[in-house]
Amino acid sequence: MARKYETKGKQLVSRVIPVENFDLVIFGGTGDLARRKILPGLFRRFRSGQMPDDARIIGAARSDLDSKGYRAEIKSALEEFVSSKYRPEDAVDGFLERIEYVAIDAMGDGGWKELKSLMRDGVVKAFYFSVAPSLFGPLAERLHDFKIADRDSRIVVEKPFGRDLESARALNKTLRDSFEEDQIYRIDHYLGKETVQNLMAVRFGNMLFEPLWNSKYVDHVQITVAEEVGVDGRGAYYDRSGAMRDMVQNHLMQLLCLIAMEPPSRFDPDAVRDEKLKVIRALDPVASRDIVRGQYTSSKKGEGYLEQVENPDSQTESFIAMKLHISNWRWSGVPFFLRTGKRLKARQSEISIIFKDTPHSIFGDDSGGSQNVLAIRLQPNEGITLSVTIKEPGPGGMRLVDVPLDMTFADALGPDAEDVPDAYERLIMDVIRGNQTLFMRGDEVEAAWAWTDPLIEGWASKGDRPSPYDVGSTGPEEAAILLHRDGRRWREIRS
Ligand code: NAD
């Protein structure tokens, strides 16, 4: 069951309900993701009382360590990634007691018998593949061949899930040779964010919005995922992917689906995922004039993309903006503008629903006020804002202003805001509960690649070159023109 919030005065107070007992194996348990996200997240779940006393975490990686050495590594990871206020010593000690380690070779036979001997019967067995994608298949096969996993076991698969339709199909097939679809949890951490789930609560838990959620009342939708960081140490991987594969095919597509989908009949995994799949299948092909690709170039704020990757003539995009249409009754004629990029002015992720103007202004055209906007902020300062038009206070006629009705979670949750579960810990607890609602199904991933592939192939065959944009800017000028053309503009990226 989920963590619950109750109200205390104006603030929401959380209540935590423990999950079933489990053995969680983290393949790649010494890697960057495990140290930064997975283990700190599990520690917070342990400290909150959500992990049963007897639950166990088994790190499995290539490093030649024993459990004692691994615990020391985890301790230092917690010191680095959990603030001291939330890291009391007794909680750290209690957490470390639940940790074991096996040195394992995903491509060979070393370590597998030892892992098998560590696993217990009668508890949920989950296996997190936090390793390079080339190891996903070999891990699944070995878990099956060594009879470590059973019919109730779950595997968690990191991104990227393939690099095109063909490789995603092949990976789905390999995983399904050893596991059923209901055992495979393809992670997209955007779906684990508090606000993203709140988007569904806002849409389907209130009478207020859903009647307006269609082409009659919505002018357009914007999804922005702006990053301040560049490719940094990931240049080799990123240069083979680009923004389309790394961000649009998965994260932005998932957000788009949640906004555009029809109300599922129940909040259950297949009901939700069936509706998301219909959205992807209803996407129109995108005309090349509706896509802008960009690549950051050096400015006072830092060095350019080409200085950070090996190929000095790379045509990989670090920015993409596009205008999409969904061919169905609800969204006919409503453009969805997507934009994501690296080394932009600020880190900001936001989904905005921009409603149409009132059909007639009784206050006169120059009275002020503009369209209503429902903005869902994913980062920073997770929260939801609805901008509404009211009268400017004071005498002197009917002048209108826009004011935000603001629900910033940090304010609503008060001093415990920093302690709200982050995406990874929430999703891992869902794996233990056996709830796949916030994980991508195999057919969804394939449908997203089927839509993405022709666009990527088109750029390659035409030798399309990305437009330059300065480090620290809001992206190439062409991205602004994409909206200006229609008399619209992007919402501001604020630093
Ligand atoms: P990493 O390179 O830091 O760690 C890789 C881990 O895999 C190490 O623990 C290593 O010991 C283990 N490993 C390598 N070869 C092995 C083998 N033959 N047998 C057993 N273990 C082996 O990688 P990472 O950054 O932690 O990323 C892990 C996965 O998570 C990747 O699929 C990546 O795409 C995905 N991911 C990472 C991030 C991130 O922020 N780091 C974000 C999103 C997705």
Side-chain angles (χ1 to χ4, degrees):
M1 274 197 283
R3 179 185 177 112
K4 296 234 166 104
Y5 290 99
E6 295 162 346
T7 48
K8 194 166 94 185
K10 277 190 176 171
Q11 280 171 0
L12 301 168
V13 185
S14 66
R15 188 153 61 83
V16 169
I17 296 133
V19 294
E20 263 181 83
N21 202 4
F22 63 83
D23 280 351
L24 169 67
V25 179
I26 307 173
F27 292 109
T30 57
D32 175 64
L33 185 68
R35 285 174 51 84
R36 254 179 343 105
K37 291 285 179 188
I38 303 173
L39 286 151
L42 284 163
F43 168 70
R44 283 191 289 266
R45 296 297 82 221
F46 170 76
R47 204 204 48 225
S48 74
Q50 196 163 27
M51 255 169 78
D53 284 348
D54 205 17
R56 253 189 348 187
I57 297 161
I58 302 163
R62 230 174 7 182
S63 314
D64 188 16
L65 288 168
D66 57 12
S67 291
K68 191 166 166 236
Y70 185 57
R71 286 183 202 120
E73 281 213 0
I74 300 315
K75 191 169 182 198
S76 79
L78 296 182
E79 281 161 6
E80 197 175 343
F81 298 111
V82 182
S83 70
S84 55
K85 179 180 166 200
Y86 293 107
R87 195 174 15 92
E89 219 170 287
D90 55 338
V92 173
D93 292 345
F95 179 68
L96 293 177
E97 274 172 30
R98 271 144 198 90
I99 293 188
E100 307 279 346
Y101 181 80
V102 221
I104 211 154
D105 180 7
M107 301 298 285
D109 291 343
W112 289 93
K113 287 199 177 122
E114 200 188 339
L115 176 62
K116 186 176 164 76
S117 70
L118 274 178
M119 304 299 293
R120 296 172 297 175
D121 287 331
V123 299
V124 172
K125 296 190 190 80
F127 303 91
Y128 197 130
F129 294 4
S130 181
V131 292
S134 56
L135 300 181
F136 296 165
L139 285 178
E141 279 161 15
R142 279 169 182 72
L143 283 173
H144 181 257
D145 294 349
F146 281 88
K147 299 193 171 45
I148 297 174
D150 55 35
R151 179 63 186 88
D152 282 339
S153 302
R154 290 129 213 199
I155 57 170
V156 185
V157 187
E158 260 300 332
K159 80 170 226 193
F161 198 92
R163 56 174 279 109
D164 52 21
L165 178 58
E166 194 187 339
S167 54
R169 269 195 187 138
L171 180 53
N172 271 333
K173 183 177 175 322
T174 308
L175 298 181
R176 287 181 192 139
D177 283 345
S178 303
F179 293 90
E180 300 292 330
E181 180 61 36
D182 65 11
Q183 299 179 277
I184 305 171
Y185 290 69
R186 296 173 194 79
I187 213 156
D188 184 324
H189 68 274
Y190 274 64
L191 295 183
K193 286 181 184 288
E194 183 75 18
T195 13
V196 172
Q197 289 166 69
N198 242 310
L199 166 63
M200 288 187 275
V202 164
R203 269 195 76 184
F204 304 126
N206 297 287
M207 198 53 217
L208 213 54
F209 297 108
E210 192 52 26
L212 307 180
W213 213 263
N214 56 52
S215 61
K216 190 163 178 204
Y217 299 104
V218 174
D219 179 76
H220 72 281
V221 175
Q222 295 187 16
I223 303 177
T224 294
V225 177
E227 295 180 285
E228 238 181 321
V229 294
V231 293
D232 301 328
R234 294 169 69 224
Y237 155 74
Y238 192 88
D239 202 39
R240 290 190 63 240
S241 336
M244 186 69 159
R245 286 193 173 96
D246 191 49
M247 297 297 290
V248 177
Q249 185 273 344
N250 40 52
H251 306 313
L252 276 81
M253 187 62 62
Q254 289 293 318
L255 299 177
L256 172 81
C257 286
L258 295 179
I259 298 166
M261 71 181 183
E262 294 301 313
S265 55
R266 293 173 309 282
F267 190 59
D268 88 11
D270 279 331
V272 171
R273 297 184 300 177
D274 285 347
E275 295 307 334
K276 281 162 55 194
L277 180 62
K278 285 183 207 160
V279 174
I280 305 176
R281 291 193 171 149
L283 282 172
D284 281 353
V286 193
S288 55
R289 70 188 292 263
D290 288 338
I291 302 190
V292 176
R293 296 168 71 231
Q295 193 181 70
Y296 58 86
T297 50
S298 63
S299 77
K300 277 192 302 229
K301 303 228 167 109
E303 60 180 9
Y305 183 85
L306 294 180
E307 281 91 71
Q308 298 180 328
V309 297
E310 254 179 42
N311 177 4
D313 191 36
S314 170
Q315 305 299 321
T316 303
E317 77 284 354
S318 60
F319 175 98
I320 192 161
M322 55 207 311
K323 174 176 162 185
L324 308 185
H325 281 283
I326 300 170
S327 274
N328 62 20
W329 274 39
R330 183 185 285 265
W331 295 117
S332 179
V334 178
F336 284 70
F337 295 99
L338 272 49
R339 160 177 74 158
T340 181
K342 292 194 174 293
R343 290 309 259 135
L344 295 176
K345 189 175 165 193
R347 171 174 170 262
Q348 182 177 312
S349 301
E350 191 185 78
I351 302 167
S352 311
I353 320 294
I354 293 99
F355 291 92
K356 289 189 171 165
D357 281 329
T358 51
H360 165 69
S361 171
I362 65 166
F363 307 111
D365 289 340
D366 55 359
S367 56
S370 54
Q371 292 156 303
N372 297 125
V373 178
L374 180 71
I376 298 132
R377 279 191 316 277
L378 274 52
Q379 58 195 20
N381 308 326
E382 283 195 64
I384 298 181
T385 311
L386 175 66
S387 89
V388 290
T389 301
I390 60 161
K391 178 188 166 298
E392 201 179 283
M398 207 55 166
R399 291 186 308 274
L400 305 182
V401 284
D402 296 327
V403 292
L405 296 181
D406 200 339
M407 159 82 187
T408 301
F409 295 147
D411 298 340
L413 296 170
D416 279 339
E418 198 194 322
D419 206 27
V420 173
D422 101 335
Y424 279 93
E425 58 195 279
R426 181 191 310 272
L427 292 172
I428 296 170
M429 289 300 108
D430 277 358
V431 173
I432 306 299
R433 287 188 203 102
N435 185 343
Q436 289 185 304
T437 311
L438 300 175
F439 296 83
M440 294 179 292
R441 207 168 52 192
D443 52 3
E444 268 184 86
V445 178
E446 289 183 16
W449 280 123
W451 177 82
T452 317
D453 274 3
L455 297 171
I456 297 176
E457 281 157 18
W459 305 329
S461 67
K462 280 189 284 178
D464 185 83
R465 301 183 83 83
S467 308
Y469 64 95
D470 283 350
V471 168
S473 69
T474 55
E477 215 186 318
E478 291 87 334
I481 296 170
L482 181 68
L483 271 77
H484 285 174
R485 237 170 42 195
D486 294 354
R488 300 182 173 102
R489 60 191 161 91
W490 289 107
R491 283 172 57 82
E492 203 186 335
I493 298 177
R494 287 173 297 271
S495 47

